[in-house]
Amino acid sequence: MPIPDDVTGDEIDKDVRQELQSLPKGLAEDVSRNLVMVAKLIDEDPEQAYEYAKIALRLASRVAAVREAAGFAAYANQKFSEALAEFRAARRMTGSVELWPVMADCERGLGRPEKALDMAGAPEVHKLDKAGQVEMRLVAAGARRDMDQIDAAIVTLQSPELASHSVQPWTARLRYAYADALLAAGREDEAREWFAKAVEADKDGSTDASDRLAEMDGVEFVDALRIDDVEVEVESGDDTVAEPVEAEAPEVKADAAEAKAEAPETDAEVAGEAGADAGADVVVERDED
């Protein structure tokens, strides 16, 4: 797999770099560069990230950070069985419970929501930090919904973290999940309120709460800069020329000069009548036979 020259491997987290020190220097560099590519691509191109993860795994399968990265790459591609195996391996190596929520979510992905709920009640959950506990709550609520227990999912999400006015990294997702569960239960007014609260907390656009809220309010977003063209034949002597015009304009067949004299509006005014922004440009391209 090609790796850009500007990817040196030094971009990885210092804790991961420390783990890789057990490898020969050249090998550690190769593994770290592949891990950087996994991190860079996992959101925008998870399939490619998965390929880089497999290379890192082949080079250093005894490094916990590599197993974890391979697990997340498989998880991003919905390869839940493979992801779960890698997470379990990483956990055996480190003894950490950090991956417990995502392991439970893999159980959901494998169609075993009951197993995910069992994990949500396990002692390991008490060893998680606050972010991990919130994540576990989200997974448990999702498992309840998998089992068509909507009211139970709503109750599962009700927590001090949900009621808190402070905005934490998990706040937007927690409020969003709660709003979505309320909507599934037919409690639309409450759902709208919580989608709005999710929008307030979602500074980085991690959810589509704003779109969901607009949908509930009957708002439809249209790209005002896009002008759909239709071809109108303009006859000029023996030649026939096709000119693009706004889709909303009526069909016109007339001499080009005569049409211009009869419609002296500026390009900006025409664009304004078509619903475009005031500053939009109208470009007329002539395609002659």
Side-chain angles (χ1 to χ4, degrees):
M1 297 288 293
I3 298 178
D5 292 337
D6 61 349
V7 174
T8 63
D10 294 334
E11 302 89 342
I12 61 174
D13 183 82
K14 63 179 182 179
D15 292 335
V16 177
R17 190 181 305 117
Q18 185 174 357
E19 281 193 62
L20 295 177
Q21 288 179 355
S22 61
L23 302 174
K25 184 177 180 180
L27 180 59
E29 181 179 340
D30 289 342
V31 173
S32 62
R33 294 182 73 205
N34 278 282
L35 292 180
V36 171
M37 295 304 296
V38 173
K40 290 170 71 73
L41 295 172
I42 196 164
D43 291 327
E44 61 186 57
D45 192 346
E47 291 184 2
Q48 284 292 303
Y50 178 70
E51 295 302 322
Y52 283 104
K54 288 199 298 184
I55 294 173
L57 187 61
R58 187 166 63 247
L59 294 173
S61 62
R62 296 185 179 182
V63 177
V66 173
R67 303 301 290 264
E68 182 176 329
F72 277 110
Y75 179 82
N77 285 275
Q78 299 186 6
K79 299 179 182 294
F80 298 115
S81 180
E82 184 176 338
L84 185 57
E86 297 302 337
F87 290 143
R88 283 172 174 168
R91 182 168 178 266
R92 284 195 301 271
M93 292 176 181
T94 63
S96 172
V97 297
E98 184 181 31
L99 296 171
W100 196 253
V102 71
M103 289 169 62
D105 206 39
C106 286
E107 296 288 359
R108 285 186 59 211
L110 292 168
R112 301 194 291 251
E114 298 89 351
K115 178 62 176 176
L117 287 176
D118 288 343
M119 294 179 68
E124 284 81 356
V125 176
H126 300 294
K127 300 176 184 178
L128 294 169
D129 60 13
K130 181 62 66 177
Q133 291 179 3
V134 171
E135 194 67 32
M136 193 71 247
R137 189 176 293 275
L138 287 167
V139 173
R144 291 292 186 187
R145 293 192 62 175
D146 293 342
M147 300 166 67
D148 294 325
Q149 299 175 1
I150 304 300
D151 291 338
I154 292 172
V155 173
T156 299
L157 292 168
Q158 293 171 346
S159 61
E161 293 80 20
L162 179 67
S164 175
H165 294 291
S166 66
V167 176
Q168 303 294 335
W170 61 76
T171 303
R173 293 178 58 239
L174 184 59
R175 292 177 179 178
Y176 181 93
Y178 189 60
D180 194 46
L182 289 169
L183 187 60
R187 297 160 61 175
E188 294 188 6
D189 291 342
E190 294 173 84
R192 189 199 178 284
E193 176 186 352
W194 282 97
F195 274 129
K197 290 182 178 181
V199 171
E200 293 175 1
D202 194 2
K203 304 303 182 184
D204 58 358
S206 61
T207 73
D208 64 347
S210 60
D211 293 338
R212 297 291 299 277
L213 185 60
E215 183 181 350
M216 293 188 71
D217 289 341
V219 177
E220 181 179 355
F221 294 103
V222 178
D223 187 354
L225 295 178
R226 180 180 177 185
I227 302 177
D228 293 326
D229 295 339
V230 296
E231 288 190 352
V232 177
E233 291 184 353
V234 180
E235 297 176 0
S236 178
D238 295 331
D239 297 330
T240 299
V241 181
E243 291 193 9
V245 300
E246 284 75 16
E248 294 180 3
E251 184 175 350
V252 178
K253 287 188 178 182
D255 180 81
E258 181 180 348
K260 183 175 182 181
E262 292 177 359
E265 294 92 338
T266 65
D267 287 346
E269 291 171 333
V270 174
E273 294 175 4
D277 287 345
D281 294 330
V282 176
V283 180
V284 178
E285 297 180 356
R286 186 177 298 276
D287 217 358
E288 298 186 0
D289 294 336

